[in-house]
Amino acid sequence: MSGVLGTQAYTNYFRVHGGYRQGGITCAMPAGSFFGALSSSFIADKLSRKTTIQIASVVWIIGSLLQSTSNGIALLVIGRIIAGLSVGLGSAIVPVYQAEIAPKEIRGRVISLQQWAITWGILIQYFIQYGASFTGGGPNNPKQGSAAFRIPWACQMVPAIILLIGLVFFPKSPRWLAAQDRWDEAIQVLADLHCGGDINHPRILAEYREIEEALTFERELAQSSVEALSQHRILKRIILGMSIQMWSQLCGMNVMMYYIVYVMQSAGIGDPLLTASIQYIINVVLTLPAIIFLDTWGRRPLLLLGSFGMMSTLAVSGALQGAYGKPNPHTNHDLDAISWVITGHPAVSKGIVACSYLFVATFAVTWGPTSWTYPAEIFPSKIRAKAVSLATATNWGWNCALAFAVPPLLWKINWKMYMIFAAFNAVAFIHMFLTAPETKGKTLEEMDEVFDSGLPAWRSVPKGSRLDQLEKEIEQGTVKVDAPRAAGSKPEPEPETVS
């Protein structure tokens, strides 16, 4: 949506000039994503994580077709809602799938690859939109044709087709297979992923034992997944996961992604489309350090530093706009979507653009990857899909609200909106400091120890993993782990003792 907002073709065809109408069109996709995320766990628990992502690919193709052929706002909104269902399914289950197949040492890196892929998708799509804007005379030509927005919306189908076909060659989640008592397949997938196919490797036997013990404990509790969700010890984690996804939206990144063209126009930038494109490049490049070092730096420091950095850049940007801006005289038809502009202060305009770039850079290094990694790894196997779907639905619920509210907010309170988001980041900093313990270096099965230890979050220090110790004991022969049983088979009875 961001790339077409600055084109005459989109404005003329759909007769949209910001405000509630544009907010409604934009928020249609996150609204669909909200319901897609809520339904994702039921599909993923029944059909597998892999199949759910393939279903999301098919739904996305349908949504893209409707958008690219839309003849009015109604069909465009329907297409965005359907595509949003796909985004909800995928964004909830992809991190779960990644968490369940990744070794603990690089789990953060693997999950954060999703965020890096998202930034690449945003960047590529933005430049497709920018290139398509020159069809029919250029972005500001009143006779520009509808190809300027139909080409980008049709191109969205390409990655979905690649994903749908590519997943045929991917394995199912070993933890989902284990939960279905398909142990022979589960152990083989673990071996293929982590130890070159050797099912008798000590690491695989240790991981198998951990998964089996965790599943046995969950089954002995004889609780449904819904009952497990309401346990006090689990409910705290669910609230934490939902809060992280909420703060990832209330930090203000939505403004910089959906409506960056409006921000650049308000700052008095000559070519807002081109200037905005630089921040998408920053988003891609600076997500990479987080991917490489997330498992070294840890999750907690990035959440805290990110909140402080984004609070600072938003406060400076808002202060500059409040001090040097003025009401829009509406002498330029292209600026009808904004009510506050800066003119005659090129240094201030550059300062606002710099703050925007610094804000995006801070988010890319910190909250961008961490906000997807943390909720995907903190829940027990039995409720992981459902708990992550609740956290992801929270993300899309706030995304929807902000996508709808930001255009009228920019119009009514203009620069004060930046101060509101700066305040949200300040509250997020305090919240994360008090409630988010460190999880790096722990297996998924060890998260209960992390959260049930009784230590306050700010005193949590990651120590050695139980999996490493168990692997060492198996290697030394002090602990014996029998080879995994075949799917559906029962353990052999112990021999009777004859006296």
Side-chain angles (χ1 to χ4, degrees):
M1 182 55 65
S2 60
V4 302
L5 288 180
T7 64
Q8 285 293 328
Y10 174 80
T11 302
N12 294 339
Y13 193 90
F14 294 103
R15 302 182 184 279
V16 176
H17 294 277
Y20 289 109
R21 179 175 290 188
Q22 180 56 56
I25 294 171
T26 305
C27 80
M29 184 172 287
S33 302
F34 174 80
F35 292 103
L38 285 179
S39 62
S40 63
S41 63
F42 300 99
I43 303 172
D45 285 340
K46 186 172 181 61
L47 300 180
S48 83
R49 288 45 166 145
K50 170 183 163 178
T51 304
T52 303
I53 302 170
Q54 288 179 303
I55 291 171
S57 301
V58 174
V59 175
W60 178 262
I61 293 169
I62 296 169
S64 299
L65 276 171
L66 293 176
Q67 290 174 72
S68 58
T69 59
S70 58
N71 58 358
I73 290 179
L75 190 56
L76 174 60
V77 168
I78 291 170
R80 285 179 63 79
I81 289 173
I82 292 173
L85 290 171
S86 165
V87 174
L89 288 171
S91 59
I93 300 305
V94 167
V96 172
Y97 179 69
Q98 291 171 313
E100 292 183 346
I101 67 173
K104 64 180 178 60
E105 293 83 2
I106 60 167
R107 187 177 61 244
R109 189 180 305 169
V110 170
I111 301 175
S112 60
L113 281 171
Q114 166 173 284
Q115 176 63 18
W116 199 41
I118 290 172
T119 64
W120 272 107
I122 292 170
L123 176 67
I124 293 168
Q125 180 70 0
Y126 187 87
F127 277 110
I128 290 173
Q129 292 171 327
Y130 184 67
S133 71
F134 288 95
T135 61
N140 298 316
N141 192 319
K143 295 183 179 180
Q144 185 185 48
S146 64
F149 55 82
R150 296 196 193 279
I151 290 173
W153 292 345
C155 286
Q156 294 177 120
M157 289 181 276
V158 175
I161 293 169
I162 295 171
L163 181 62
L164 175 64
I165 297 172
L167 277 169
V168 172
F169 306 99
F170 277 56
K172 286 184 167 65
S173 160
R175 286 170 171 83
W176 180 83
L177 290 168
Q180 310 303 311
D181 272 334
R182 293 161 62 175
W183 285 100
D184 51 345
E185 296 175 69
I187 197 72
Q188 190 61 59
V189 170
L190 284 172
D192 291 341
L193 288 170
H194 302 169
C195 293
D198 180 8
I199 65 171
N200 294 310
H201 191 283
R203 180 55 170 263
I204 299 304
L205 294 175
E207 199 163 357
Y208 158 71
R209 179 167 174 174
E210 270 212 328
I211 295 171
E212 187 179 44
E213 286 178 351
L215 286 174
T216 300
F217 175 73
E218 290 172 5
R219 286 167 178 168
E220 284 175 353
L221 291 177
Q223 286 181 317
S224 68
S225 56
V226 176
E227 288 175 325
L229 285 170
S230 61
Q231 279 187 312
H232 178 68
R233 53 184 284 273
I234 298 297
L235 194 59
K236 288 194 300 183
R237 278 185 251 179
I238 292 172
I239 293 172
L240 176 59
M242 294 173 69
S243 298
I244 287 176
Q245 291 284 25
M246 177 187 72
W247 293 127
S248 74
Q249 293 300 314
L250 292 178
C251 70
M253 189 61 172
N254 245 313
V255 182
M256 300 305 175
M257 288 293 108
Y258 282 137
Y259 302 115
I260 185 61
V261 171
Y262 292 165
V263 174
M264 295 302 175
Q265 287 176 339
S266 177
I269 300 300
D271 189 347
L273 280 173
L274 184 59
T275 309
S277 69
I278 296 173
Q279 79 163 20
Y280 293 104
I281 298 173
I282 293 172
N283 197 21
V284 170
V285 173
L286 289 184
T287 301
L288 193 55
I291 294 171
I292 297 172
F293 298 110
L294 180 60
D295 291 300
T296 304
W297 295 339
R299 286 62 159 155
R300 181 177 166 83
L302 292 182
L303 292 172
L304 297 176
L305 290 172
S307 294
F308 182 81
M310 289 186 289
M311 174 192 69
S312 303
T313 53
L314 285 171
V316 171
S317 183
L320 287 174
Q321 294 195 45
Y324 294 94
K326 61 182 181 181
N328 184 5
H330 300 288
T331 56
N332 186 342
H333 178 72
D334 292 336
L335 301 180
D336 278 352
I338 55 177
S339 65
W340 193 263
V341 293
I342 293 175
T343 56
H345 300 284
V348 174
S349 297
K350 291 175 184 176
I352 292 170
V353 172
C355 284
S356 299
Y357 291 164
L358 286 171
F359 173 88
V360 171
T362 304
F363 180 87
V365 175
T366 59
W367 275 79
T370 311
S371 62
W372 290 107
T373 300
Y374 201 96
E377 64 185 7
I378 63 175
F379 300 110
S381 176
K382 186 170 187 175
I383 63 160
R384 186 172 298 123
K386 286 185 173 59
V388 173
S389 74
L390 288 172
T392 308
T394 304
N395 178 302
W396 290 114
W398 283 103
N399 189 310
C400 177
L402 291 172
F404 181 76
V406 164
L409 276 176
L410 278 170
W411 180 264
K412 292 181 178 179
I413 64 172
N414 40 73
W415 62 270
K416 301 180 187 71
M417 186 187 67
Y418 294 85
M419 299 306 188
I420 293 174
F421 285 112
F424 284 145
N425 279 294
V427 178
F429 178 91
I430 297 170
H431 187 192
M432 292 301 102
F433 179 82
L434 295 174
T435 62
E438 184 55 70
T439 59
K440 73 171 183 178
K442 296 291 185 180
T443 66
L444 298 179
E445 286 70 35
E446 290 175 316
M447 291 301 164
D448 285 347
E449 297 175 14
V450 173
F451 284 89
D452 298 341
S453 65
L455 287 174
W458 61 89
R459 290 182 58 192
S460 62
V461 179
K463 298 179 181 178
S465 169
R466 189 178 65 235
L467 179 67
D468 295 331
Q469 182 62 31
L470 181 58
E471 181 186 355
K472 187 181 295 184
E473 291 172 350
I474 292 172
E475 213 165 23
Q476 294 170 349
T478 55
V479 171
K480 187 176 185 303
V481 176
D482 295 328
R485 65 183 187 272
S489 63
K490 296 179 180 179
E492 294 181 8
E494 294 184 9
E496 295 181 6
T497 304
V498 180
S499 57

